[in-house]
């Protein structure tokens, strides 16, 4: 066992959590610089919660719906869970809530996301359909620091895949997802170890 202190990390999800599983698996290595101590979801029936519990990780669900339009009130409840678990780093993995500047600023430099496109191309949703529609030859995924502007934070790691003749949304998203599962653990390790950090709006070391 490594004696280095591992960074206490939470993963936030809304759905099935395949990236979450890849991160949990990677973090089992004794020399991985992050420890996954909490998985939290904004939907109590997010499939990933069961998978996290099965892996022996603490779970929390903070349903955003009772908070209505008050995004910050929801985030304060979520933040309370993060504080209760002494979280140092927050990883968004298919977390489908737009975060307010309050939350993003609070976790600045300690909040990362994976987006299924080669940012700055195709910010927002339905990235695979839009890539096919645009007829691009290459597509992929990006891990980035989160900043208040949506999908606009500095890149930590990117992976490219070809768009092949006959691709549809399902085949393209599967090809991208495979790369997500590969680079997200790598990117988390880079940030948790301090090899890459957010400084003056850039990802230093990336
Ligand atoms: C991934 O494609 C991720 O890039 C996007 O949402 C999807 C989540 O998938 N933000 P999963 O829940 O990790 O399987």
């Amino acid at each position: 066992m490594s004696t280095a202190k591992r960074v206490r990390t939470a993963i936030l999800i809304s759905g099935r959590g395949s990236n979450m599983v890849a991160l949990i698996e990677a973090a089992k290595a004794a020399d991985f610089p992050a420890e996954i101590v909490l998985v939290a979801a904004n939907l109590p029936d997010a499939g990933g919660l069961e998978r996290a519990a099965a892996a022996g990780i603490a779970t929390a669900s903070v349903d955003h719906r009772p908070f209505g339009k008050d995004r910050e009130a929801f985030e304060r409840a979520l933040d309370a869970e993060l504080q209760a678990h002494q979280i140092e780093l927050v990883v968004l993995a298919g977390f489908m809530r737009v975060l307010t500047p309050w939350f993003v600023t609070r976790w600045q430099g300690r909040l990362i996301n994976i987006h299924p496109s080669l940012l700055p191309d195709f910010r927002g949703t339905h990235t695979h359909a839009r890539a096919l529609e645009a007829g691009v030859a290459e597509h992929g995924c990006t891990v980035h620091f989160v900043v208040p502007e949506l999908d606009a934070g500095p890149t930590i790691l990117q992976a490219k895949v070809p768009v092949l003749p006959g691709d549809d949304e399902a085949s393209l998203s599967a090809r991208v997802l495979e790369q997500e599962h590969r680079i997200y653990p790598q990117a988390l390790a880079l940030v948790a170890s301090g090899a890459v950090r957010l400084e003056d709006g850039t990802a230093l070391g990336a």
Side-chain angles (χ1 to χ4, degrees):
M1 273 291 270
S2 158
T3 51
K5 196 186 160 300
R6 308 208 296 156
V7 178
R8 293 179 64 82
T9 301
I11 304 176
L12 305 188
I13 62 167
S14 298
R16 63 190 170 180
S18 74
N19 276 289
M20 173 204 77
V21 170
L23 293 162
I24 290 171
E25 284 302 315
K28 284 182 180 167
D31 60 351
F32 196 82
E35 181 187 5
I36 312 300
V37 294
L38 176 69
V39 171
N42 64 306
L43 294 170
D45 58 354
L49 285 176
E50 271 181 29
R51 299 172 84 178
I57 294 174
T59 62
S61 89
V62 182
D63 194 335
H64 67 277
R65 291 167 295 193
F67 296 97
K69 288 191 171 131
D70 194 344
R71 285 181 183 271
E72 206 175 296
F74 158 68
E75 291 171 358
R76 284 184 189 277
L78 183 60
D79 192 70
E81 285 290 344
L82 300 175
Q83 301 304 332
H85 288 85
Q86 294 165 288
I87 297 303
E88 301 168 296
L89 188 58
V90 177
V91 175
L92 308 180
F95 184 68
M96 300 306 285
R97 301 296 298 165
V98 174
L99 295 164
T100 68
W102 175 77
F103 188 90
V104 173
T105 306
R106 188 167 171 77
W107 288 94
Q108 181 167 294
R110 303 180 298 146
L111 178 60
I112 65 176
N113 181 45
I114 191 155
H115 183 77
S117 80
L118 296 173
L119 289 172
D121 292 343
F122 310 117
R123 292 177 179 174
T125 55
H126 306 296
T127 57
H128 307 306
R130 286 159 59 210
L132 289 168
E133 174 72 25
V136 293
E138 278 186 324
H139 185 46
C141 51
T142 306
V143 182
H144 62 93
F145 284 108
V146 177
V147 299
E149 191 184 343
L150 191 67
D151 300 330
T155 294
I156 299 160
L157 274 183
Q158 235 174 16
K160 290 181 182 172
V161 302
V163 179
L164 301 177
D167 260 342
D168 58 14
E169 230 179 303
S171 62
L172 185 56
S173 69
R175 193 173 307 123
V176 172
L177 195 63
E178 204 175 307
Q179 295 304 312
E180 293 185 35
H181 297 165
R182 187 177 65 81
I183 69 166
Y184 214 177
Q186 290 178 2
L188 172 57
L190 288 170
V191 174
S193 67
V196 174
R197 62 181 195 275
L198 182 67
E199 211 170 285
D200 296 332
T202 65
L204 211 70

